[in-house]
Amino acid sequence: MCGAGFGHFRWLAGGGAGQDVGRSCILVSIAGKNVMLDCGMHMGFNDDRRFPDFSYITQNGRLTDFLDCVIISHFHLDHCGALPYFSEMVGYDGPIYMTHPTQAICPILLEDYRKIAVDKKGEANFFTSQMIKDCMKKVVAVHLHQTVQVDDELEIKAYYAGHVLGAAMFQIKVGSESVVYTGDYNMTPDRHLGAAWIDKCRPNLLITESTYATTIRDSKRCRERDFLKKVHETVERGGKVLIPVFALGRAQELCILLETFWERMNLKVPIYFSTGLTEKANHYYKLFIPWTNQKIRKTFVQRNMFEFKHIKAFDRAFADNPGPMVVFATPGMLHAGQSLQIFRKWAGNEKNMVIMPGYCVQGTVGHKILSGQRKLEMEGRQVLEVKMQVEYMSFSAHADAKGIMQLVGQAEPESVLLVHGEAKKMEFLKQKIEQELRVSCYMPANGETVTLPTSPSIPVGISLGLLKREMAQGLLPEAKKPRLLHGTLIMKDSNFRLVSSEQALKELGLAEHQLRFTCRVHLHDTRKEQETALRVYSHLKSILKDHCVQHLPDGSVTVESILIQAAAPSEDPGTKVLLVSWTYQDEELGSFLTSLLKKGLPQAPS
Amino acid sequence: MDPADDWLVDSLRLYQDFYAFDLSGATRVLEWIDDKGVFVAGYESLKKNEILHLKLPLRLSVNENKGLFPERDFKVRHGGFSDRSIFDLKHVPHTRLLVTSGLPGCYLQVWQVAEDSDVIKAVSTITVHEKEESLWPRVAVFSAVAPRVLHGARLRSLQVVDLESRKTTYTSDVSDSEELSSLQVLDADTFAFCCASGQLGLVDTRQKWAPLENRSPGPGSGGERWCAEVGSWGQGPGPSIASLGSDGRLCLLDPRDLCHPVSSVQCPVSIPSPDPELLRVTWAPGLKNCLAISGFDGTVQVYDATSWDGTRSQVEPLFTHRGHIFLDGNGMDPAPLVTTHTWHPCRPKTLLSATNDASLHVWDWVDLRAPH
């Protein structure tokens, strides 16, 4: 919806309230293009409220026609969980862009989630495995810093976001207008991922999550300390620690941490890594390397990342071994598989501990124990009493207030838009951003539309000939003052050129026509026409000191390019007629001369 | 492993809990509002300062099921901007008002913490009796149905002002130009003052100015600066006033006899203190006879004064918090200096401490004497 020289963005959120349980789905309209950013699932609801309301977007008409593309920032379900529903059940056949690791990991998480929803909770209106596969066929994977042409006007580029493996921030550009969407990102590097980074791309708008905008984060060291303390205390008293993890990424981080600590403290307690994870490890290895931070990459050059000194592969028989141990097992929400098996064996002993490292979807054992449930109904109506300690540690890396300011400082946008906050309550933050970073700050509520006016620049090429001619006028151009230039604007094939009129005529194959005006001025003068002409010449010369006034041999007078001739009409010898003639370009001067001459000539000195 | 990592491993046995934060600006203020939030405020002179109302991480506020709360972060609940530096901030209990003091010291600023948004707005000022360019008035609040503000930079400019009507309800009415270092409201009618010289006084506002006083501390008082805090007021016999000097001396006094300290000890601190105005001594609200001191360097020291009597001269701290030195400094910057500290009102061994490089720690120390 870009009018002449006036562009605007429309922003629409399908996001949810609340901290950990929000969902992301943002629609941006930029210079006539429509892009959907993320397509998340609201984890707190079991019914249709968990999906964004896509009817907001277009009342009638197909989404595929309306949307130019969909971009997914990373594999967390609150950013991609509604994607198969959206593409296969609502209907969208256009491209879906994401990074390579996201493309690899998304379908696994979606399938896991589908299994929980359908098999465990018996849900009806949910997407199928086939839908996930069909949805992923529409995915186009991108590399970091690679400019991808969605069509001949719209281009996108991914930037490193930290946060989780494969997470990216996206720049969306149409002509000279651009918007950057951050997704979730982190400004402090951790043990296995680097910090988010973006260049000074100066977008018109930067869209960033504000869920953590009003937090001041506890330092990474203290969070790690907390984890180490819990693990250490448990193994010291002879207990076993179970850490359910998804796959690489966070598990990697924790393994490196424990390995360092075990080495420092010279501990002998065994640490195990379940086989499910090691299998996936080699598969993800290639994906992982470009996404880790420098330190990790250097270490990996030296050894395979799963060759830890103190961490060994797990065998299910080990779960029955007496004595303390630490085990990393999949899946992460304790909803099936090895981690659940181990949990069932260890839950009854209060010396043991389970550390949940992330959010768990409703319906899983993980979710139940994090809600405080201590008696669980398992298959076959067996009741499991949970006496082991349950700890919930949030290892996810998000940017806090300080991090957001840092990123805004890097990108230097004109405006910032904060998503997922509670607008009324963030007045202070808005003021802070506006004052310190000198950008406008918007905080729309869910479902609200924000329109930002922009003034896009239209590049016009000026022909060399025209420039040279202007220079030849004699006056040097002044850097700060505008200079009036006459030319012809040619618009062809989205190209704008300013050329001289002659050139334009030539290109168009048109003949040049000259317009010439002639005006008659009657004067009372009894002398001969030659004398009249001389009188005219003297008069004009004395008045028009800035102009070039000449008396030609044939008796005519010129003022610049204007010609004045005196003639004597045959009827009346006392009257002389001045013929003043000028071209269209000299209209102004010509009119001026005419009115001047009409006032008459001064009396000749005697 | 680098020294920070080493210290972190040590910290596993030294602290029950430990949190470290980076504020956007250093603070000299840590003022509680209920037991779940604190106010901090910047004190820079050349740029805008922020006043923040921070909500403590949930883990510190709950007693049941602590393990189920993963959040370890502060939430900025309210914020405001101040053009002046802020050296003191007091919350007016049972209201949404704050009173701050800073330089230039010609007035106190009254703020309102909004209810329906996150803004702290300046609403009015309280002019002070004597306008000093380089001294800022100390502030304390009498909480009552009609709250009153006690303030003054010097003894002679001490005043109590009704917050609503701005009428002066009490003045010191003396010509003593002694500089004040702290003011503390003890109950509805009484307050304590401490002068920079070490002179202490307890004032009953129901009478004309006639404080119970001591004279400046004895020999050795050659230009030191003092501060003081009164502990559990009116709760039984024993020393309840602690006075700390910039030479590292810590005196405990009984209010019934301010002229003769019950005990006077020398704390093992690096002296002289680089900025004696930052000296702070506090009584632990939840531990009998426990004190904390700070302002000499990047540490906070906790002492148990139970067995202190007149004969003790050198004492050792029960616990020293060194986190600011190991976690924040990287050996290249100048060592940090603790600007203020405070005890958690409900958790007996939890303290908050802030430094001049904008770090803020919350720590729950382990009493290594206690049997496991």
Side-chain angles (χ1 to χ4, degrees), chain A residues 102-241:
Chain A
T102 311
Q103 181 189 34
I105 299 171
C106 247
I108 300 170
L109 275 179
L110 287 168
E111 179 55 32
D112 253 5
Y113 182 49
R114 190 207 65 78
K115 269 197 224 144
I116 297 169
V118 175
D119 302 345
K120 292 228 164 278
K121 287 159 59 191
E123 296 216 23
N125 193 27
F126 212 84
F127 49 81
T128 62
S129 295
Q130 187 57 44
M131 286 182 187
I132 296 173
K133 294 196 179 95
D134 293 337
C135 170
M136 295 310 289
K137 287 194 192 124
K138 299 171 184 170
V139 168
V140 178
V142 302
H143 293 288
L144 287 178
H145 307 155
Q146 169 198 11
T147 301
V148 175
Q149 294 289 142
V150 177
D151 59 38
D152 53 14
E153 287 170 310
L154 172 64
E155 58 184 52
I156 64 172
K157 190 188 326 188
Y159 289 91
Y160 191 79
H163 186 57
V164 290
L165 178 60
M169 310 187 286
F170 280 87
Q171 180 194 36
I172 298 126
K173 205 161 165 187
V174 181
S176 61
E177 298 185 9
S178 66
V179 64
V180 168
Y181 170 59
T182 64
D184 287 342
Y185 62 102
N186 182 40
M187 295 304 286
T188 44
D190 57 30
R191 283 176 202 267
H192 80 295
L193 287 174
W197 178 86
I198 194 165
D199 51 16
K200 209 187 289 195
C201 52
R202 297 217 172 105
N204 297 91
L205 178 67
L206 177 82
I207 303 174
T208 180
E209 297 278 329
S210 61
T211 320
Y212 293 88
T214 50
T215 58
I216 299 180
R217 296 222 81 191
D218 182 23
S219 75
K220 179 173 74 93
R221 282 216 151 97
C222 289
R223 281 179 275 137
E224 289 179 343
R225 181 198 169 273
D226 199 26
F227 171 71
L228 286 174
K229 192 162 177 18
K230 297 277 182 307
V231 172
H232 190 227
E233 278 170 358
T234 306
V235 300
E236 285 271 278
R237 64 171 179 248
K240 299 170 165 59
V241 183

Side-chain angles (χ1 to χ4, degrees), chain A residues 214-219 221-222 225-226 229 261 264-265 391-392 424-428 431-432 435, chain B residues 5-6 9 11-12 15-16 20-21 50 59 67 70 72-76 79 81 117-119:
Chain A
T214 50
T215 58
I216 299 180
R217 296 222 81 191
D218 182 23
S219 75
R221 282 216 151 97
C222 289
R225 181 198 169 273
D226 199 26
K229 192 162 177 18
F261 181 60
R264 169 72 166 67
M265 302 288 284
E391 285 283 337
Y392 181 12
K424 246 191 342 179
K425 299 213 178 126
M426 301 214 296
E427 187 58 41
F428 168 68
Q431 281 177 21
K432 189 174 150 98
Q435 281 175 28
Chain B
D5 277 345
D6 275 342
V9 168
S11 80
L12 290 179
Y15 301 86
Q16 194 54 41
F21 303 92
E50 290 177 3
R59 282 181 102 110
R72 294 178 58 89
D73 308 328
F74 269 122
K75 271 223 68 88
V76 178
F81 296 100
S117 81
D118 67 344
V119 169

Side-chain angles (χ1 to χ4, degrees), chain A residues 346-360:
Chain A
W346 295 357
N349 189 337
E350 67 255 358
K351 277 202 216 157
N352 297 337
M353 176 184 284
V354 59
I355 301 182
M356 303 301 298
Y359 182 76
C360 295

